[in-house]
Amino acid sequence: VQLQASGGGSVQTGRSLRLSCAASGFTVGTHAIGWFRQAPGKEREGVACIPTGGISTYYGGSVKGRFTISSDSAKNTVYLQMNNLTAEDTAVYFCAADRGLRCYPGMRYWGQGTLVTVSS
């Protein structure tokens, strides 16, 4: 199982970015897949999750209404669309996956992380 995160970069406040998490070794939908982030000096926090089956989505409180997680089964990829970015969104973003119904900090498989920097 491998997860390849990409799409990070440097943007100005209020702009958008879309992160991608390409999965291999399993089929998206058979695992819960989540996005997490870790800012300098802070603990890792959950950002968004698609549980196994891909029917529902869940978001951390600080991103609700601005970020959208989605999956594309044809590309076996999960996306995180991030809109109206603020400096507080600056962090390394990771995608993670595990069998089971939900996302949690100790998920089994992790991508390498992609850096998002938001500045004014």
Side-chain angles (χ1 to χ4, degrees):
V1 172
Q2 287 191 329
L3 299 169
Q4 182 72 37
S6 62
S10 296
V11 296
Q12 291 184 319
T13 300
R15 303 300 292 269
S16 300
L17 275 177
R18 188 178 77 161
L19 305 183
S20 300
C21 178
S24 60
F26 71 97
T27 301
V28 166
T30 65
H31 287 54
I33 299 178
W35 284 98
F36 297 78
R37 68 185 182 186
Q38 187 163 19
K42 295 187 177 181
E43 294 187 355
R44 188 172 296 183
E45 65 169 329
V47 175
C49 175
I50 292 185
T52 301
I55 296 176
S56 302
T57 57
Y58 298 92
Y59 298 93
S62 62
V63 307
K64 196 173 295 184
R66 299 188 298 123
F67 290 12
T68 302
I69 189 171
S70 62
S71 63
D72 184 333
S73 58
K75 296 183 178 180
N76 214 37
T77 298
V78 172
Y79 301 98
L80 183 69
Q81 177 67 42
M82 306 185 295
N83 297 330
N84 193 22
L85 287 161
T86 72
E88 287 68 38
D89 296 316
T90 294
V92 177
Y93 285 72
F94 302 86
C95 58
D98 203 344
R99 290 190 176 274
L101 297 177
R102 62 182 182 88
C103 301
Y104 60 102
M107 298 182 85
R108 182 173 183 181
Y109 307 108
W110 289 80
Q112 82 285 10
T114 185
L115 176 63
V116 172
T117 303
V118 185
S119 59
S120 57

